[in-house]
Amino acid sequence: MTSSKTIVLRSSDGATFEVDEAVALHSLMIKHRIETGGADSTTIDVPEVTGNTLSKVIEYCKKHVEAPNSDDLKSFDTDFVKVDQAVLCHLAKASYYMNIKGLLDLSSKTIADMFKGKTVEQIRETFHIKNDFTPEEEEELRKENSWNLFV
Amino acid sequence: METRIDFLEWLEPDMAFKILSCLDDSADLVRASAVSRYWQKIVVSNGLSKQLCMSTFPQLACITHVVGPSHENSSERDHRAYASLFRALTSFPLTYCIADPVSASSTDNYPQESIMNTLDPRDTIRSRGSYWSSKGSNDPETLIYSLTANICVITEINLHPFQALFQFDFPIYSSRFVRFRMGHPKSCNELNYDFVDAQECADGKFIWTYTSQMFPVIQQNRLQRFKLPEPVICIGGYLQVELLGRVQKQASDDKYYFCVAHVQAIGRQLSPAFSVEFSEPSNNVSLKYDVEKFGLTVSNRQNASLSTGLLPVQPPRQLAWGNLQDFMQIVEAHDDGVEYDVWVDELDPIL
């Protein structure tokens, strides 16, 4: 009988999560840390990610490692990213640091889909972005992009 | 008042690049580049418009540089040119793109059976067949045409095999397969020659940068549609139609022929907003972008459906019999000086 090794992941705010090693290895960053870690590689610190986000990331990895060929994987992914904007951005950043390609692609695409078809002003509103162009620059941009129904 | 943090700046630059690279429409990229300075920097300095064009239309890879308004720096110029190019490639109006014939690999009776006839959609004009015929042989044949612009995107090519209703059993001289190529001339000087009149094949004068799959042709007297699996950009403005596999012998001489009544290519022509220039001998291909003409094309766009009024040769309009002079002009314009005797001979087997 093979014993499945577990790894403890510790978030930036001290929360700890025990996960199967196979699940943890879904993150290439953790895989690298384990392989180069040495003796005390059962607890891995992930200071770039908070507890809330880390718990969601682990949920993603569990599903993808334990049932990679399941029919409902696609609907799992679709539902997984139905979260509010802030959570989505934190997930994207975490997937980047933890080097989880699937989650990185999924969250990037979801964020990009949020700007499709929106006007410039709508994009700024949705993502709380400050317009730092001068009025003259804005006018210039408007003129040059008028074929695009620049708004 | 809440502080506004630009989430894209909060993410790593690599991530910002990745997210903006997911946009698959140049209109979204242009809007993204107008949101803030940081967003503009990510879109413009990483050439995202160019990246989108290249990944959607791989034929563009041969373009070495863009020639456009000189006041801009090269990243800005590329950004604007490629964003406009994407828009042109996906939404300029569809039209018929064949302009003129260039050569046929062989012609049986010239000029009665010249490739020129394939520009006219009719297969019979004033009771005479209007078609191109190859010589009798077993070889593939090619028809080469120039397109209406030296950069177009072609979505489908249609071909009408000719049925000889003046021959016993009404044979249809189709081919087994058809294949298409697109490209540019090796050097522009080489085309200052009337290959059609000289009845010479101009194949060797071209570099074909795109070759399609082989499409099966049905032995039927109708316009057959060959939709390209993805729209293809023709850089250079020349199309070759290759016919392969003979199926029909002519009873009188037991030889295999190909005969085609009509060829048409449907797509979007990108001129005058865009054109390409090949510099010899370095093989640099530059894309020229005219901002004003682009703006005009976009604002003049009509959503009219493709009408035969756009074909290079059109059936004459309905005659108003009251205007005899018009009638005479039309008759003279279509008179190709063929001796009527030729047609009588071909009717002999039936008589």
Side-chain angles (χ1 to χ4, degrees), chain B residues 191-209:
Chain B
L191 296 189
N192 291 337
Y193 183 70
D194 191 341
F195 291 92
V196 175
D197 205 45
Q199 295 176 67
E200 282 172 30
C201 177
D203 256 338
K205 307 294 182 192
F206 291 92
I207 296 178
W208 303 113
T209 50

Side-chain angles (χ1 to χ4, degrees), chain B residues 52-102:
Chain B
L52 178 60
C53 276
M54 295 290 168
S55 61
T56 317
F57 299 101
Q59 297 92 38
L60 291 173
C62 66
I63 292 179
T64 48
H65 62 287
V66 171
V67 175
S70 54
H71 64 274
E72 295 174 321
N73 71 41
S74 65
S75 324
E76 280 168 10
R77 187 182 55 236
D78 279 12
H79 163 68
R80 215 171 308 290
Y82 281 105
S84 308
L85 182 64
F86 189 89
R87 169 70 174 250
L89 290 167
T90 51
S91 67
F92 270 10
L94 285 174
T95 183
Y96 294 104
C97 293
I98 289 180
D100 286 306
V102 172

Side-chain angles (χ1 to χ4, degrees), chain A residues 51-105:
Chain A
N52 286 338
T53 307
L54 191 53
S55 116
K56 273 213 76 99
V57 170
I58 289 169
E59 186 193 329
Y60 176 90
C61 294
K62 266 185 105 159
K63 180 76 180 180
H64 278 253
V65 168
E66 287 168 6
N69 299 315
S70 77
D71 295 324
D72 71 337
L73 203 59
K74 228 179 163 245
S75 57
F76 169 84
D77 280 355
T78 310
D79 291 338
F80 189 77
V81 285
K82 281 184 183 156
V83 290
D84 74 41
Q85 211 182 299
V87 174
L88 187 57
C89 291
H90 279 102
L91 271 176
K93 204 169 192 182
S95 65
Y96 177 80
Y97 280 126
M98 296 178 70
N99 202 343
I100 303 171
K101 187 175 187 311
L103 186 55
L104 181 59
D105 288 345

Side-chain angles (χ1 to χ4, degrees), chain A residues 92-93 96-97 104-105 112 115-118 120 124 127-129 132-133 137 144-145 147-148 150, chain B residues 4-5 7 10 12 14-15 18-20 22 24 27-28 30-31 34-37 39 80 87 294:
Chain A
K93 204 169 192 182
Y96 177 80
Y97 280 126
L104 181 59
D105 288 345
F115 355 123
K116 268 197 222 256
K118 285 199 163 66
V120 176
R124 287 179 186 145
F127 295 97
H128 314 299
I129 297 167
D132 55 358
F133 290 116
E137 283 169 335
E144 281 166 350
N145 296 322
W147 60 263
N148 197 37
F150 171 87
Chain B
R4 294 180 148 203
I5 303 171
F7 86 100
W10 171 77
E12 297 294 302
D14 279 354
M15 281 227 63
K18 191 171 169 66
I19 290 171
L20 290 174
C22 291
D24 58 4
D28 289 322
V30 171
R31 282 189 283 256
V35 166
S36 75
R37 285 174 196 270
W39 286 50
R80 215 171 308 290
R87 169 70 174 250
F294 176 78

